[in-house]
Amino acid sequence: MKYSVGLRTIELLLGDITQQNTDAIVNAANKRLSVGSGVDGAIHKHGGPKILEDTRSRHPMGCPPGDAVVSDSGELPCRILIHAVGPIWHKGSSHEAELLERAYLRSLEIASEHECDSIAFPAISCGAYAFPNDQAADIALKTVKTWLEKHDRPETIRFVLFTESVYAEFAKSAEKMFTKTNSVRSK
Ligand code: AR6
């Protein structure tokens, strides 16, 4: 599905983020920026060892939840790789919503600083970090929509969702957030 925000587009896609040809790809990383499982494992596997080498040398102290950092993209098709650290879900008692919003916002700021016209996000915190997927989808879409209302870049923001159930949560949020007139079913 595709949704318009002015001249910009938000896309929802069921697929593998490592195959995206966007200027930036976002990883759902951990605060140590070590190689984990899920999307993080897939990114390091497909991108090769240069990613970890570069990330370690640029960010030896890691990255706290609610923040993001850039690294070399190794063998991935993107120009830059952004490592965003989402919050671990603690029943909503530890500012998780705010931290998740900030992880998306910091990624958008970095993409903008690097003049990226397109960016692909995974569903940050929706796997190992156990954030309720419906709430995470609302936060993700609201954050990028608000960003696009205020900024020129990126022109395309793509959510690459790995499972049918996460895709369904994002689609449900998008239906609530966007009017019928600005949604276009992609081919
Ligand atoms: N492309 C797109 N999405 C994917 C892919 C892929 N190739 N593989 C998995 N997903 P998770 P988190 C989805 O656990 O919850 C790591 O160990 C997955 O189905 O990757 O932020 C890190 O090192 C889910 O919907 O990230 C951290 O320790 C979404 O990506 C921790 O997990 C996020 O799931 C971060 O946990």
Side-chain angles (χ1 to χ4, degrees):
M1 290 290 287
K2 289 188 183 183
Y3 301 91
S4 305
V5 180
L7 295 173
R8 271 64 55 75
T9 310
I10 295 175
E11 301 178 358
L12 305 186
L13 184 81
L14 185 63
D16 180 352
I17 204 164
T18 64
Q19 306 303 311
Q20 302 305 308
N21 60 358
T22 43
D23 291 336
I25 285 179
V26 179
N27 180 20
N30 59 66
K31 65 182 181 187
R32 295 175 309 284
L33 301 175
S34 59
V35 181
S37 58
V39 68
D40 190 19
I43 280 175
H44 283 283
K45 182 174 168 214
H46 286 85
K50 183 132 189 245
I51 293 177
L52 186 61
E53 200 183 296
D54 184 61
T55 306
R56 283 212 168 124
S57 74
R58 287 200 213 199
H59 314 288
M61 305 301 284
C63 174
D67 204 351
V69 294
V70 70
S71 84
D72 191 282
S73 56
E75 308 297 320
L76 293 174
C78 54
R79 181 155 61 77
I80 64 164
L81 179 60
I82 297 169
H83 303 268
V85 182
I88 300 173
W89 180 253
H90 291 294
K91 299 187 179 166
S93 60
S94 307
H95 307 286
E96 293 96 320
E98 189 187 326
L99 290 170
L100 185 60
E101 179 185 340
R102 288 183 53 74
Y104 280 104
L105 274 178
R106 282 293 299 130
S107 302
L108 289 164
E109 282 170 8
I110 291 169
S112 206
E113 283 160 22
H114 286 79
E115 303 187 340
C116 293
D117 285 330
S118 56
I119 182 168
F121 281 105
I124 300 171
S125 289
C126 284
Y129 284 180
F131 205 113
N133 290 185
D134 55 344
Q135 294 177 46
D138 283 351
I139 292 165
L141 286 166
K142 185 161 180 283
T143 304
V144 302
K145 178 172 180 270
T146 305
W147 172 275
L148 286 183
E149 285 164 355
K150 296 182 190 156
H151 300 87
D152 290 339
R153 277 197 165 112
E155 286 170 6
T156 302
I157 298 180
R158 183 178 298 161
F159 287 94
V160 184
L161 307 160
F162 203 56
T163 64
E164 295 273 0
S165 70
V166 176
Y167 182 91
E169 292 297 352
F170 273 71
K172 202 159 64 180
S173 290
E175 291 302 320
K176 282 188 294 187
M177 217 167 291
F178 299 95
T179 59
K180 285 265 184 255
T181 50
N182 61 12
S183 84
V184 183
R185 186 171 283 278
S186 56
K187 287 176 192 166

Short mmCIF file of all heavy atoms in Angstrom, two decimals, residues 13-20 26-44 46 84-88 100 121-131 133 159-163 165-167 170, ligand 1:
data_model
loop_
_atom_site.label_atom_id
_atom_site.label_comp_id
_atom_site.label_asym_id
_atom_site.label_seq_id
_atom_site.Cartn_x
_atom_site.Cartn_y
_atom_site.Cartn_z
N LEU A 13 5.23 -2.50 2.82
CA LEU A 13 5.62 -3.61 1.96
C LEU A 13 5.89 -4.84 2.81
O LEU A 13 6.52 -4.74 3.86
CB LEU A 13 6.90 -3.20 1.23
CG LEU A 13 7.48 -4.11 0.21
CD1 LEU A 13 6.73 -3.92 -1.11
CD2 LEU A 13 8.95 -3.77 -0.02
N LEU A 14 5.40 -5.98 2.36
CA LEU A 14 5.73 -7.25 3.03
C LEU A 14 7.01 -7.77 2.38
O LEU A 14 7.02 -8.02 1.17
CB LEU A 14 4.57 -8.23 2.83
CG LEU A 14 4.62 -9.56 3.54
CD1 LEU A 14 4.62 -9.41 5.06
CD2 LEU A 14 3.44 -10.44 3.11
N GLY A 15 8.10 -7.88 3.13
CA GLY A 15 9.33 -8.31 2.49
C GLY A 15 10.54 -8.26 3.40
O GLY A 15 10.42 -8.12 4.62
N ASP A 16 11.71 -8.34 2.75
CA ASP A 16 13.00 -8.42 3.45
C ASP A 16 13.73 -7.09 3.25
O ASP A 16 14.01 -6.70 2.11
CB ASP A 16 13.79 -9.59 2.82
CG ASP A 16 15.15 -9.77 3.44
OD1 ASP A 16 15.59 -8.93 4.26
OD2 ASP A 16 15.80 -10.78 3.10
N ILE A 17 14.08 -6.45 4.33
CA ILE A 17 14.67 -5.10 4.23
C ILE A 17 16.06 -5.13 3.58
O ILE A 17 16.48 -4.13 3.00
CB ILE A 17 14.69 -4.41 5.61
CG1 ILE A 17 14.72 -2.90 5.44
CG2 ILE A 17 15.84 -4.91 6.47
CD1 ILE A 17 14.38 -2.13 6.68
N THR A 18 16.74 -6.25 3.66
CA THR A 18 18.10 -6.31 3.09
C THR A 18 18.09 -6.19 1.56
O THR A 18 19.13 -5.97 0.96
CB THR A 18 18.84 -7.60 3.49
OG1 THR A 18 18.15 -8.71 2.92
CG2 THR A 18 18.93 -7.76 4.99
N GLN A 19 16.92 -6.37 0.96
CA GLN A 19 16.83 -6.32 -0.50
C GLN A 19 16.37 -4.96 -1.02
O GLN A 19 16.12 -4.81 -2.22
CB GLN A 19 15.83 -7.39 -1.00
CG GLN A 19 16.13 -8.80 -0.50
CD GLN A 19 17.53 -9.25 -0.88
OE1 GLN A 19 17.92 -9.13 -2.03
NE2 GLN A 19 18.29 -9.74 0.09
N GLN A 20 16.24 -3.98 -0.15
CA GLN A 20 15.67 -2.69 -0.57
C GLN A 20 16.73 -1.80 -1.21
O GLN A 20 17.86 -1.73 -0.73
CB GLN A 20 15.03 -1.98 0.64
CG GLN A 20 13.96 -2.81 1.30
CD GLN A 20 12.87 -3.24 0.33
OE1 GLN A 20 12.32 -2.42 -0.37
NE2 GLN A 20 12.57 -4.53 0.31
N VAL A 26 17.33 1.12 7.61
CA VAL A 26 17.42 1.22 9.07
C VAL A 26 17.45 -0.18 9.66
O VAL A 26 16.67 -1.05 9.26
CB VAL A 26 16.23 2.03 9.63
CG1 VAL A 26 16.30 2.10 11.15
CG2 VAL A 26 16.19 3.44 9.03
N ASN A 27 18.36 -0.35 10.61
CA ASN A 27 18.47 -1.61 11.35
C ASN A 27 17.81 -1.43 12.71
O ASN A 27 17.87 -0.35 13.30
CB ASN A 27 19.97 -1.92 11.53
CG ASN A 27 20.21 -3.21 12.29
OD1 ASN A 27 19.33 -4.06 12.37
ND2 ASN A 27 21.42 -3.35 12.83
N ALA A 28 17.16 -2.49 13.22
CA ALA A 28 16.66 -2.48 14.60
C ALA A 28 17.76 -3.09 15.46
O ALA A 28 17.87 -4.31 15.59
CB ALA A 28 15.37 -3.30 14.71
N ALA A 29 18.60 -2.21 16.01
CA ALA A 29 19.84 -2.64 16.67
C ALA A 29 19.65 -2.75 18.18
O ALA A 29 18.59 -2.45 18.71
CB ALA A 29 20.94 -1.63 16.34
N ASN A 30 20.71 -3.18 18.85
CA ASN A 30 20.73 -3.17 20.33
C ASN A 30 21.71 -2.09 20.78
O ASN A 30 22.52 -1.60 19.98
CB ASN A 30 21.10 -4.55 20.88
CG ASN A 30 22.46 -5.02 20.38
OD1 ASN A 30 23.49 -4.44 20.70
ND2 ASN A 30 22.46 -6.05 19.54
N LYS A 31 21.67 -1.74 22.07
CA LYS A 31 22.44 -0.58 22.54
C LYS A 31 23.95 -0.79 22.48
O LYS A 31 24.71 0.17 22.46
CB LYS A 31 21.99 -0.16 23.93
CG LYS A 31 22.26 -1.16 25.01
CD LYS A 31 21.73 -0.67 26.35
CE LYS A 31 22.04 -1.69 27.42
NZ LYS A 31 21.43 -1.37 28.70
N ARG A 32 24.38 -2.03 22.43
CA ARG A 32 25.82 -2.29 22.28
C ARG A 32 26.24 -2.25 20.81
O ARG A 32 27.42 -2.29 20.50
CB ARG A 32 26.18 -3.66 22.87
CG ARG A 32 25.97 -3.77 24.37
CD ARG A 32 26.22 -5.19 24.88
NE ARG A 32 25.48 -6.18 24.11
CZ ARG A 32 24.17 -6.42 24.22
NH1 ARG A 32 23.45 -5.73 25.08
NH2 ARG A 32 23.57 -7.33 23.48
N LEU A 33 25.28 -2.24 19.92
CA LEU A 33 25.52 -2.31 18.47
C LEU A 33 26.25 -3.60 18.10
O LEU A 33 27.04 -3.63 17.15
CB LEU A 33 26.28 -1.07 17.96
CG LEU A 33 25.59 0.27 18.21
CD1 LEU A 33 26.49 1.44 17.78
CD2 LEU A 33 24.24 0.36 17.48
N SER A 34 26.01 -4.65 18.88
CA SER A 34 26.59 -5.96 18.55
C SER A 34 25.63 -6.69 17.62
O SER A 34 24.47 -6.30 17.47
CB SER A 34 26.81 -6.77 19.84
OG SER A 34 25.59 -6.94 20.52
N VAL A 35 26.12 -7.75 17.00
CA VAL A 35 25.29 -8.49 16.04
C VAL A 35 24.26 -9.33 16.81
O VAL A 35 24.62 -10.16 17.64
CB VAL A 35 26.14 -9.41 15.15
CG1 VAL A 35 25.25 -10.14 14.14
CG2 VAL A 35 27.21 -8.60 14.42
N GLY A 36 22.99 -9.10 16.52
CA GLY A 36 21.94 -9.85 17.19
C GLY A 36 21.20 -10.75 16.22
O GLY A 36 21.73 -11.15 15.19
N SER A 37 19.95 -11.02 16.55
CA SER A 37 19.12 -11.88 15.70
C SER A 37 18.16 -11.00 14.89
O SER A 37 18.38 -9.81 14.74
CB SER A 37 18.36 -12.88 16.59
OG SER A 37 17.59 -12.16 17.52
N GLY A 38 17.10 -11.58 14.38
CA GLY A 38 16.07 -10.82 13.68
C GLY A 38 16.62 -10.00 12.52
O GLY A 38 17.50 -10.44 11.78
N VAL A 39 16.11 -8.80 12.37
CA VAL A 39 16.52 -7.96 11.24
C VAL A 39 18.00 -7.60 11.35
O VAL A 39 18.71 -7.49 10.34
CB VAL A 39 15.58 -6.73 11.11
CG1 VAL A 39 15.73 -5.76 12.24
CG2 VAL A 39 15.78 -6.04 9.78
N ASP A 40 18.48 -7.42 12.56
CA ASP A 40 19.90 -7.11 12.81
C ASP A 40 20.80 -8.23 12.26
O ASP A 40 21.77 -7.97 11.52
CB ASP A 40 20.08 -6.95 14.33
CG ASP A 40 21.42 -6.39 14.72
OD1 ASP A 40 22.09 -5.78 13.88
OD2 ASP A 40 21.80 -6.56 15.90
N GLY A 41 20.44 -9.46 12.57
CA GLY A 41 21.22 -10.61 12.08
C GLY A 41 21.21 -10.67 10.56
O GLY A 41 22.24 -10.90 9.92
N ALA A 42 20.04 -10.41 9.97
CA ALA A 42 19.92 -10.47 8.50
C ALA A 42 20.76 -9.37 7.85
O ALA A 42 21.43 -9.60 6.83
CB ALA A 42 18.45 -10.32 8.10
N ILE A 43 20.76 -8.19 8.44
CA ILE A 43 21.52 -7.07 7.87
C ILE A 43 23.02 -7.36 7.91
O ILE A 43 23.74 -7.16 6.92
CB ILE A 43 21.15 -5.75 8.61
CG1 ILE A 43 19.83 -5.24 8.02
CG2 ILE A 43 22.26 -4.71 8.54
CD1 ILE A 43 19.24 -4.04 8.70
N HIS A 44 23.52 -7.87 9.03
CA HIS A 44 24.95 -8.18 9.12
C HIS A 44 25.31 -9.35 8.20
O HIS A 44 26.37 -9.35 7.58
CB HIS A 44 25.34 -8.48 10.56
CG HIS A 44 25.47 -7.24 11.40
ND1 HIS A 44 26.55 -6.40 11.34
CD2 HIS A 44 24.61 -6.67 12.28
CE1 HIS A 44 26.38 -5.38 12.16
NE2 HIS A 44 25.20 -5.51 12.75
N HIS A 46 23.84 -10.25 5.31
CA HIS A 46 23.84 -9.83 3.91
C HIS A 46 24.84 -8.70 3.64
O HIS A 46 25.34 -8.58 2.52
CB HIS A 46 22.44 -9.38 3.48
CG HIS A 46 21.51 -10.52 3.29
ND1 HIS A 46 20.80 -11.08 4.33
CD2 HIS A 46 21.18 -11.23 2.20
CE1 HIS A 46 20.08 -12.08 3.87
NE2 HIS A 46 20.29 -12.20 2.58
N ALA A 84 19.13 2.01 14.52
CA ALA A 84 18.22 2.64 15.47
C ALA A 84 17.98 1.66 16.62
O ALA A 84 17.75 0.47 16.38
CB ALA A 84 16.90 2.98 14.79
N VAL A 85 18.05 2.17 17.83
CA VAL A 85 17.83 1.30 18.99
C VAL A 85 16.47 1.62 19.60
O VAL A 85 16.26 2.72 20.13
CB VAL A 85 18.96 1.47 20.04
CG1 VAL A 85 18.73 0.52 21.21
CG2 VAL A 85 20.32 1.23 19.40
N GLY A 86 15.56 0.67 19.46
CA GLY A 86 14.24 0.84 20.05
C GLY A 86 14.24 0.41 21.50
O GLY A 86 15.21 -0.18 21.99
N PRO A 87 13.15 0.69 22.21
CA PRO A 87 13.06 0.28 23.62
C PRO A 87 12.64 -1.19 23.75
O PRO A 87 11.93 -1.72 22.89
CB PRO A 87 11.94 1.19 24.15
CG PRO A 87 11.06 1.40 22.97
CD PRO A 87 11.95 1.44 21.77
N ILE A 88 13.07 -1.80 24.84
CA ILE A 88 12.53 -3.11 25.23
C ILE A 88 11.21 -2.83 25.96
O ILE A 88 11.15 -1.91 26.79
CB ILE A 88 13.51 -3.85 26.17
CG1 ILE A 88 14.84 -4.08 25.46
CG2 ILE A 88 12.91 -5.18 26.65
CD1 ILE A 88 15.95 -4.64 26.35
N LEU A 100 10.46 4.93 21.40
CA LEU A 100 10.26 4.39 20.05
C LEU A 100 10.10 5.54 19.05
O LEU A 100 10.71 5.53 17.97
CB LEU A 100 9.02 3.48 20.02
CG LEU A 100 8.79 2.77 18.68
CD1 LEU A 100 9.97 1.88 18.31
CD2 LEU A 100 7.51 1.94 18.73
N PHE A 121 12.41 1.35 6.68
CA PHE A 121 12.39 1.01 8.10
C PHE A 121 11.85 -0.41 8.31
O PHE A 121 10.85 -0.78 7.67
CB PHE A 121 11.41 1.92 8.86
CG PHE A 121 11.91 3.28 9.19
CD1 PHE A 121 11.46 4.38 8.47
CD2 PHE A 121 12.79 3.48 10.25
CE1 PHE A 121 11.89 5.66 8.79
CE2 PHE A 121 13.21 4.77 10.58
CZ PHE A 121 12.77 5.86 9.85
N PRO A 122 12.40 -1.13 9.28
CA PRO A 122 11.70 -2.34 9.75
C PRO A 122 10.74 -1.90 10.86
O PRO A 122 10.70 -0.72 11.22
CB PRO A 122 12.84 -3.17 10.33
CG PRO A 122 13.77 -2.15 10.92
CD PRO A 122 13.66 -0.91 10.03
N ALA A 123 10.00 -2.85 11.41
CA ALA A 123 9.11 -2.55 12.54
C ALA A 123 9.95 -2.60 13.82
O ALA A 123 10.05 -3.64 14.48
CB ALA A 123 7.97 -3.55 12.59
N ILE A 124 10.56 -1.46 14.15
CA ILE A 124 11.49 -1.41 15.28
C ILE A 124 10.78 -1.83 16.57
O ILE A 124 9.63 -1.41 16.82
CB ILE A 124 12.07 0.03 15.43
CG1 ILE A 124 12.81 0.45 14.16
CG2 ILE A 124 12.98 0.12 16.66
CD1 ILE A 124 13.21 1.93 14.15
N SER A 125 11.44 -2.65 17.36
CA SER A 125 10.96 -3.16 18.67
C SER A 125 9.80 -4.15 18.57
O SER A 125 9.27 -4.57 19.60
CB SER A 125 10.56 -2.01 19.62
OG SER A 125 11.69 -1.31 20.08
N CYS A 126 9.41 -4.53 17.36
CA CYS A 126 8.24 -5.42 17.21
C CYS A 126 8.58 -6.90 17.26
O CYS A 126 7.70 -7.74 17.09
CB CYS A 126 7.50 -5.12 15.91
SG CYS A 126 6.54 -3.60 16.01
N GLY A 127 9.85 -7.25 17.48
CA GLY A 127 10.24 -8.65 17.53
C GLY A 127 10.75 -9.00 18.92
O GLY A 127 9.98 -9.06 19.88
N ALA A 128 12.08 -9.16 19.04
CA ALA A 128 12.69 -9.54 20.32
C ALA A 128 12.34 -8.56 21.44
O ALA A 128 12.24 -8.96 22.60
CB ALA A 128 14.21 -9.61 20.15
N TYR A 129 12.14 -7.29 21.11
CA TYR A 129 11.88 -6.28 22.15
C TYR A 129 10.41 -6.20 22.56
O TYR A 129 10.04 -5.43 23.44
CB TYR A 129 12.43 -4.92 21.73
CG TYR A 129 13.95 -4.83 21.86
CD1 TYR A 129 14.63 -3.67 21.51
CD2 TYR A 129 14.70 -5.89 22.35
CE1 TYR A 129 16.02 -3.57 21.64
CE2 TYR A 129 16.09 -5.81 22.47
CZ TYR A 129 16.74 -4.64 22.12
OH TYR A 129 18.11 -4.55 22.25
N ALA A 130 9.56 -7.00 21.89
CA ALA A 130 8.19 -7.29 22.37
C ALA A 130 7.27 -6.10 22.56
O ALA A 130 6.35 -6.14 23.39
CB ALA A 130 8.28 -8.10 23.66
N PHE A 131 7.48 -5.03 21.84
CA PHE A 131 6.57 -3.88 21.91
C PHE A 131 5.24 -4.33 21.29
O PHE A 131 5.25 -4.93 20.21
CB PHE A 131 7.15 -2.72 21.09
CG PHE A 131 6.69 -1.36 21.52
CD1 PHE A 131 7.57 -0.45 22.09
CD2 PHE A 131 5.37 -0.95 21.32
CE1 PHE A 131 7.15 0.83 22.47
CE2 PHE A 131 4.95 0.31 21.70
CZ PHE A 131 5.84 1.20 22.28
N ASN A 133 2.56 -4.81 18.93
CA ASN A 133 2.71 -4.42 17.53
C ASN A 133 1.70 -3.36 17.09
O ASN A 133 2.02 -2.51 16.25
CB ASN A 133 2.64 -5.65 16.63
CG ASN A 133 3.85 -6.56 16.76
OD1 ASN A 133 3.98 -7.52 16.03
ND2 ASN A 133 4.77 -6.27 17.67
N PHE A 159 8.06 1.15 4.90
CA PHE A 159 8.11 0.19 6.01
C PHE A 159 8.16 -1.20 5.40
O PHE A 159 7.22 -1.58 4.67
CB PHE A 159 6.90 0.33 6.92
CG PHE A 159 6.95 1.58 7.77
CD1 PHE A 159 6.33 2.74 7.36
CD2 PHE A 159 7.65 1.59 8.97
CE1 PHE A 159 6.40 3.90 8.12
CE2 PHE A 159 7.73 2.74 9.75
CZ PHE A 159 7.09 3.89 9.32
N VAL A 160 9.23 -1.93 5.69
CA VAL A 160 9.38 -3.27 5.13
C VAL A 160 9.07 -4.26 6.26
O VAL A 160 9.85 -4.39 7.22
CB VAL A 160 10.78 -3.47 4.55
CG1 VAL A 160 10.88 -4.84 3.91
CG2 VAL A 160 11.09 -2.38 3.54
N LEU A 161 7.93 -4.91 6.13
CA LEU A 161 7.39 -5.71 7.23
C LEU A 161 7.54 -7.18 6.87
O LEU A 161 7.26 -7.59 5.75
CB LEU A 161 5.94 -5.29 7.47
CG LEU A 161 5.89 -3.75 7.66
CD1 LEU A 161 4.52 -3.19 7.43
CD2 LEU A 161 6.47 -3.36 9.01
N PHE A 162 8.04 -7.92 7.84
CA PHE A 162 8.53 -9.27 7.54
C PHE A 162 7.47 -10.34 7.69
O PHE A 162 7.59 -11.41 7.12
CB PHE A 162 9.70 -9.55 8.48
CG PHE A 162 10.64 -10.60 8.00
CD1 PHE A 162 11.25 -10.51 6.77
CD2 PHE A 162 10.95 -11.70 8.80
CE1 PHE A 162 12.14 -11.46 6.33
CE2 PHE A 162 11.84 -12.67 8.37
CZ PHE A 162 12.44 -12.54 7.13
N THR A 163 6.46 -10.08 8.51
CA THR A 163 5.43 -11.09 8.73
C THR A 163 4.06 -10.51 8.38
O THR A 163 3.85 -9.29 8.48
CB THR A 163 5.40 -11.56 10.20
OG1 THR A 163 5.03 -10.45 11.03
CG2 THR A 163 6.75 -12.10 10.66
N SER A 165 1.43 -10.74 10.08
CA SER A 165 0.74 -10.14 11.22
C SER A 165 1.23 -8.72 11.48
O SER A 165 0.43 -7.83 11.78
CB SER A 165 0.87 -11.02 12.47
OG SER A 165 2.18 -11.01 12.93
N VAL A 166 2.52 -8.48 11.34
CA VAL A 166 3.01 -7.10 11.54
C VAL A 166 2.53 -6.21 10.40
O VAL A 166 2.12 -5.06 10.61
CB VAL A 166 4.55 -7.07 11.68
CG1 VAL A 166 5.06 -5.64 11.79
CG2 VAL A 166 4.99 -7.86 12.90
N TYR A 167 2.53 -6.76 9.19
CA TYR A 167 2.01 -5.99 8.05
C TYR A 167 0.55 -5.60 8.33
O TYR A 167 0.15 -4.44 8.10
CB TYR A 167 2.10 -6.81 6.76
CG TYR A 167 1.61 -6.04 5.55
CD1 TYR A 167 2.50 -5.28 4.80
CD2 TYR A 167 0.27 -6.03 5.20
CE1 TYR A 167 2.05 -4.54 3.71
CE2 TYR A 167 -0.19 -5.28 4.12
CZ TYR A 167 0.71 -4.55 3.39
OH TYR A 167 0.26 -3.81 2.32
N PHE A 170 0.30 -2.66 10.73
CA PHE A 170 0.66 -1.39 10.08
C PHE A 170 -0.46 -0.95 9.13
O PHE A 170 -0.80 0.23 9.05
CB PHE A 170 2.01 -1.50 9.36
CG PHE A 170 3.18 -1.21 10.26
CD1 PHE A 170 3.55 -2.11 11.26
CD2 PHE A 170 3.91 -0.04 10.13
CE1 PHE A 170 4.62 -1.84 12.11
CE2 PHE A 170 4.98 0.25 10.97
CZ PHE A 170 5.34 -0.66 11.96
N1 AR6 B 1 13.49 -7.61 7.00
C1 AR6 B 1 12.53 -6.87 7.61
N2 AR6 B 1 12.06 -7.15 8.85
C2 AR6 B 1 12.59 -8.20 9.50
C3 AR6 B 1 13.61 -9.02 8.93
C4 AR6 B 1 14.07 -8.67 7.63
N3 AR6 B 1 15.03 -9.37 7.00
N4 AR6 B 1 13.92 -9.99 9.84
C5 AR6 B 1 13.11 -9.81 10.91
N5 AR6 B 1 12.31 -8.73 10.70
P1 AR6 B 1 13.69 -7.68 15.73
P2 AR6 B 1 13.59 -5.61 17.83
C6 AR6 B 1 11.26 -8.16 11.57
O1 AR6 B 1 13.65 -8.75 16.76
O2 AR6 B 1 12.29 -6.11 18.31
C7 AR6 B 1 18.14 -8.11 17.71
O3 AR6 B 1 18.74 -9.22 18.28
C8 AR6 B 1 10.72 -8.99 12.70
O4 AR6 B 1 9.79 -9.96 12.21
O5 AR6 B 1 14.63 -7.83 14.59
O6 AR6 B 1 13.79 -4.13 17.67
C9 AR6 B 1 18.90 -6.82 18.00
O7 AR6 B 1 20.29 -7.02 18.07
C10 AR6 B 1 10.05 -7.92 13.56
O8 AR6 B 1 8.74 -7.63 13.05
O9 AR6 B 1 14.05 -6.25 16.41
C11 AR6 B 1 18.34 -6.42 19.34
O10 AR6 B 1 18.98 -7.11 20.40
C12 AR6 B 1 10.93 -6.67 13.33
O11 AR6 B 1 11.77 -7.00 12.22
C13 AR6 B 1 16.90 -6.85 19.27
O12 AR6 B 1 16.86 -7.93 18.32
C14 AR6 B 1 11.79 -6.32 14.51
O13 AR6 B 1 12.21 -7.49 15.17
C15 AR6 B 1 16.01 -5.76 18.73
O14 AR6 B 1 14.67 -6.19 18.83
#
